[in-house]
């Protein structure tokens, strides 16, 4: 599910974004702001600086949107540390629902399941914002390292989490949060200069989840 696997022509992508830009925009939360690059130039997987393109998920007016960032490596520890860092800058409408002060205390992997141990400040987020924060983490880690399911701990104690399609559950996956992804049209409407790499990744992830999450209904 790497961010560089989908190669879509810029002209075709622009036409699709333009066609979908009339979609309605729903406003839900007002997340803390995050600095978002405005360049529309794609970056090679291994730039000369030694950085690696990595996909992280943030909140765009109540929905989740992938952002392509350069990190020193693609280990889950580095990826989650970057996601949990306090955002900076003031682009309107893009930010995070993960509470400030939340840190990663550890990870434990069991085949395709990862247990994410977070610090106590994560308990400070509730309601819809908590679902967004959980969704940010789940969609981010399932982009990487062949992870399919996520469980959560706070200070080492297992906790239940909720998603738009579940009540409280101890184990969640990307399919549980696919309805929280922004549509392509919404992303274009909200961010006039959305980076091409982010838009490509959004199209790719929507397509993947549409194929994998809902088996076709049997003919009646």
């Amino acid at each position: 599910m790497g961010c560089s696997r989908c190669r879509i022509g810029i002209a075709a992508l622009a036409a699709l974004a333009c066609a979908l830009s009339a979609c309605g925009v729903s406003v839900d939360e007002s997340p803390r702001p995050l600095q978002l690059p405005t360049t529309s130039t794609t970056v090679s997987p291994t730039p000369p600086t030694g950085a690696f393109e990595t996909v992280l998920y943030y909140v765009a007016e109540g929905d989740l949107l992938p952002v392509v960032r350069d990190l020193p490596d693609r280990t889950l520890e580095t990826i989650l540390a970057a996601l949990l860092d306090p955002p900076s800058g003031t682009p309107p409408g893009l930010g995070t629902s993960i509470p400030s002060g939340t840190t990663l205390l550890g990870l434990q992997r069991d085949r395709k399941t990862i247990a994410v141990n977070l610090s106590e400040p994560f308990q400070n987020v509730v309601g819809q914002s908590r679902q967004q924060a959980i969704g940010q983490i789940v969609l981010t880690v399932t982009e990487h390292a062949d992870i399919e399911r996520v469980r959560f701990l706070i200070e080492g104690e297992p906790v239940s989490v909720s998603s738009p399609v579940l009540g409280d559950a101890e184990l969640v996956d990307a399919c549980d949060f696919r309805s929280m992804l922004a549509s392509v049209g919404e992303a274009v409407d909200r961010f006039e200069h959305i980076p091409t790499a982010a838009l490509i990744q959004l199209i790719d992830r929507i397509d993947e989840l549409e194929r994998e999450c809902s088996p076709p209904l049997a003919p009646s």
Side-chain angles (χ1 to χ4, degrees), residues 147-164:
I147 297 297
E148 294 182 359
R149 295 167 296 274
V150 187
R151 64 176 72 251
F152 287 83
L153 302 92
I154 304 296
E155 301 287 345
E157 295 296 324
V159 295
S160 296
V161 297
S162 65
S163 75

Side-chain angles (χ1 to χ4, degrees), residues 192-211:
E192 181 180 356
H193 302 293
I194 184 171
T196 301
L199 195 55
I200 289 173
Q201 184 60 33
L202 178 62
I203 293 170
D204 192 32
R205 195 72 194 271
I206 290 173
D207 179 68
E208 173 199 322
L209 294 180
E210 285 295 325
R211 288 185 284 104

Side-chain angles (χ1 to χ4, degrees), residues 97-179:
S97 289
I98 297 171
S100 179
T102 301
T103 58
L104 179 66
L105 300 181
L107 295 172
Q108 185 175 1
R109 182 167 181 171
D110 180 9
R111 298 182 181 179
K112 294 187 177 184
T113 299
I114 193 80
V116 179
N117 188 13
L118 301 172
S119 61
E120 182 65 28
F122 191 77
Q123 294 287 57
N124 294 334
V125 64
V126 297
Q128 180 70 9
S129 292
R130 185 176 178 87
Q131 282 193 357
Q132 292 167 356
I134 295 291
Q136 286 180 250
I137 295 170
V138 171
L139 289 175
T140 294
V141 300
T142 54
E143 282 277 1
H144 306 282
D146 199 29
I147 297 297
E148 294 182 359
R149 295 167 296 274
V150 187
R151 64 176 72 251
F152 287 83
L153 302 92
I154 304 296
E155 301 287 345
E157 295 296 324
V159 295
S160 296
V161 297
S162 65
S163 75
V165 297
L166 293 175
D168 289 341
E170 294 187 357
L171 196 64
V172 289
D173 60 28
C175 292
D176 297 323
F177 296 90
R178 67 169 179 165
S179 66

Side-chain angles (χ1 to χ4, degrees), residues 21 26-27 33 37 57 63 68 79 82 87-88 106 132 134 169 193:
S21 62
S26 59
V27 177
Y57 283 78
D63 294 325
V68 180
I79 291 166
S88 60
Q132 292 167 356
I134 295 291
H193 302 293

Side-chain angles (χ1 to χ4, degrees), residues 24-95:
V25 179
S26 59
V27 177
D28 189 6
E29 296 288 331
S30 297
R32 291 176 288 118
L34 168 82
Q35 184 61 52
L36 176 67
T38 58
T39 178
S40 60
T41 303
T42 55
V43 184
S44 60
T46 309
T49 60
F52 293 86
E53 279 189 349
T54 311
V55 179
L56 293 83
Y57 283 78
Y58 294 97
V59 182
E61 299 183 14
D63 294 325
L64 302 182
L65 185 71
V67 173
V68 180
R69 292 182 53 185
D70 286 345
L71 297 179
D73 57 65
R74 293 195 185 101
T75 64
L76 287 176
E77 289 83 359
T78 297
I79 291 166
L80 281 173
L83 184 67
L84 299 178
D85 276 346
S88 60
T90 56
L94 185 70

